[in-house]
Amino acid sequence: MKSPNVNIYKVQMAYFFSEKSGIRAFGLISSLYNQLKEVFRTEPQSIPIPDDAPADVPRCVWNDVNTSLTFSKIRLDFTFNVPSKYNWEKLFNDFNEKITTALDGCDVIIDRVGLVAEVMSADDLHDLLKEYVNIEKFNDACEANISWLENIDSCNVWTYIIINESKNENKIVFDVNSLPDCKLSEQGISSKDAMIKCVENLKGKMLNVL
């Protein structure tokens, strides 16, 4: 199959907190602000939440044009768009360094990490795939989805191919997560290094799929 002409345009990074971590929202907001204040042109917004609120309810939301961050008592999510002519991997390494420094500064223990990369194709994936995959029907939104799961080097790696005929949009999504049963804190692996490992798996999948 001819390789499609693609580019990564959005990356999401997720850090899953250990149950042993005592998350103090104000302290984590301050630590994140010290690391990311040059990245955001806005201020983080602390959300007043009752103590008995579910753990997955966001305690902080921080949005800007090309970046967004939220965290609850169980995870932190950071998403960034990749402007044209920017190197996505350099942006990733800069953000991973800043976020993990902020988490370490608050003694937050990370048990799992995840990385999602959205890749847009300038080519018609339907035409490229016709030789290998027979797509006879699209859903009501004129969209067809192909996905599969692999276990690679202690990570779950999902690959999604999304074809929208009406909008002429072709997207590939790679979702890499460290395995829930292999807790990073129990293996002595830092969240920074675990996230870098996710990137290596991502690049390997991109080479194999594209």
Side-chain angles (χ1 to χ4, degrees):
M1 182 178 76
K2 173 188 172 185
S3 294
N5 179 21
V6 300
N7 67 290
I8 292 181
Y9 70 95
K10 181 182 288 186
V11 176
Q12 178 184 357
M13 306 156 69
Y15 303 81
F16 298 86
F17 305 151
S18 167
E19 294 179 355
K20 300 175 183 178
S21 290
I23 305 299
R24 296 178 175 83
F26 181 76
L28 184 52
I29 290 172
S30 297
S31 188
L32 288 165
Y33 179 77
N34 288 335
Q35 292 296 322
L36 295 168
K37 59 187 175 183
E38 304 301 327
V39 175
F40 287 84
R41 292 172 295 178
T42 59
E43 299 289 326
Q45 302 298 311
S46 175
I47 301 176
I49 299 293
D51 290 339
D52 59 351
D56 60 350
V57 173
R59 266 60 178 179
C60 172
V61 176
W62 197 359
N63 293 321
D64 205 341
V65 175
N66 287 312
T67 49
S68 67
L69 183 150
T70 63
F71 72 77
S72 64
K73 282 191 172 182
I74 60 176
R75 63 185 286 175
L76 180 149
D77 290 276
F78 179 81
T79 302
F80 64 94
N81 297 326
V82 184
S84 59
K85 299 182 180 179
Y86 273 70
N87 183 305
W88 72 267
E89 193 172 0
K90 182 181 185 307
L91 288 174
F92 161 82
N93 285 324
D94 289 345
F95 293 142
N96 188 34
E97 175 73 34
K98 292 177 184 298
I99 292 170
T100 52
T101 297
L103 293 172
D104 291 344
C106 292
D107 296 322
V108 176
I109 302 170
I110 302 299
D111 272 345
R112 291 178 53 224
V113 295
L115 181 70
V116 179
E118 297 189 22
V119 183
M120 188 67 72
S121 172
D123 299 307
D124 190 327
L125 293 179
H126 194 185
D127 283 344
L128 292 176
L129 288 168
K130 278 179 180 177
E131 183 180 347
Y132 306 92
V133 181
N134 181 23
I135 304 174
E136 294 182 348
K137 294 183 179 180
F138 287 78
N139 61 23
D140 292 340
C142 297
E143 190 172 88
N145 300 289
I146 305 167
S147 64
W148 63 93
L149 172 65
E150 299 169 85
N151 181 267
I152 302 174
D153 195 19
S154 299
C155 288
N156 279 331
V157 182
W158 277 101
T159 301
Y160 302 88
I161 296 178
I162 303 165
I163 302 168
N164 191 303
E165 291 278 86
S166 64
K167 296 181 180 179
N168 194 28
E169 289 181 354
N170 302 282
K171 184 166 68 172
I172 302 171
V173 178
F174 297 101
D175 186 345
V176 185
N177 285 271
S178 61
L179 296 178
D181 294 337
C182 301
K183 294 183 178 180
L184 303 175
S185 58
E186 295 178 359
Q187 298 179 73
I189 300 174
S190 71
S191 56
K192 177 183 175 181
D193 289 342
M195 194 65 87
I196 290 172
K197 182 179 178 181
C198 285
V199 163
E200 294 305 314
N201 282 326
L202 165 66
K203 291 193 293 185
K205 282 304 299 175
M206 288 181 65
L207 287 174
N208 290 333
V209 173
L210 305 177

